[in-house]
Amino acid sequence: AVADMGKGAATVALAQAIELEQPWVLAAGFAAILGHNFPLYVGFRGGHGVDTIIGIFLVISPLAMAAELGIMGLALLLTRHIFTMTCISAPFLPLFLWLFNGIDMVFYYSLVIIAYLLFRNRHRLKEFRPLPSKAIEQEHAQPAHQDSEIASFSSEPGTALNDCDKSLSTDD
């Protein structure tokens, strides 16, 4: 992950260091994303490019990316799922770029990057996990039993032992 961030950051920083105009700097960043997504040495099957994008925006707009990383951390804490974190936090990047930089080429670049990520990962959208509701949490929680139910050792249908947890049954 750190190497992927470094790849994006180094590409953009080098383009800035040789004083390329901003469209070429942004193109270099996009080339780094494409290089990450479709590496020649592993049969053009690479990663999703999120870490590379983080590196790019850390160089281009450090304040906006710092705010974005805060949202990413919060989303990851709440969902505990990387893809869902990315889906939740991605729309905030253009917002932070607008707040810190105004509407400029980098703002539109971020929209293109998000559209590219969405297109590239369209098959994974079914993996999106919204925040768990109370009903989902209760469905997965272990049933609470009273002491009298635990003491019942009858194996007849309808008794506490039999109804306690049918998922433990090996009679299938």
Side-chain angles (χ1 to χ4, degrees), residues 5-21:
M5 281 186 244
K7 181 180 2 184
T11 302
V12 172
L14 180 62
Q16 288 176 338
I18 61 174
E19 298 180 359
L20 291 178
E21 293 182 21

Side-chain angles (χ1 to χ4, degrees), residues 12-121:
V12 172
L14 180 62
Q16 288 176 338
I18 61 174
E19 298 180 359
L20 291 178
E21 293 182 21
Q22 189 173 32
W24 291 109
V25 171
L26 300 179
F30 196 72
I33 296 167
L34 290 176
H36 179 80
N37 288 186
F38 305 104
L40 174 67
Y41 56 89
V42 290
F44 299 102
R45 290 184 304 243
H48 297 285
V50 175
D51 293 333
T52 306
I53 293 167
I54 290 170
I56 291 166
F57 282 101
L58 278 172
V59 172
I60 293 174
S61 183
L63 291 176
M65 196 64 234
E68 176 73 7
L69 288 172
I71 295 295
M72 292 172 87
L74 181 62
L76 186 60
L77 181 69
L78 293 174
T79 65
R80 300 189 191 289
H81 189 249
I82 298 290
F83 182 73
T84 302
M85 174 220 43
T86 304
C87 291
I88 290 170
S89 63
F92 286 93
L93 181 59
L95 173 68
F96 293 136
L97 289 167
W98 171 69
L99 289 173
F100 291 108
N101 303 339
I103 301 291
D104 62 358
M105 191 179 300
V106 175
F107 171 82
Y108 292 112
Y109 178 72
S110 72
L111 295 176
V112 169
I113 296 295
I114 291 170
Y116 170 74
L117 275 179
L118 182 62
F119 178 76
R120 171 125 166 84
N121 294 294

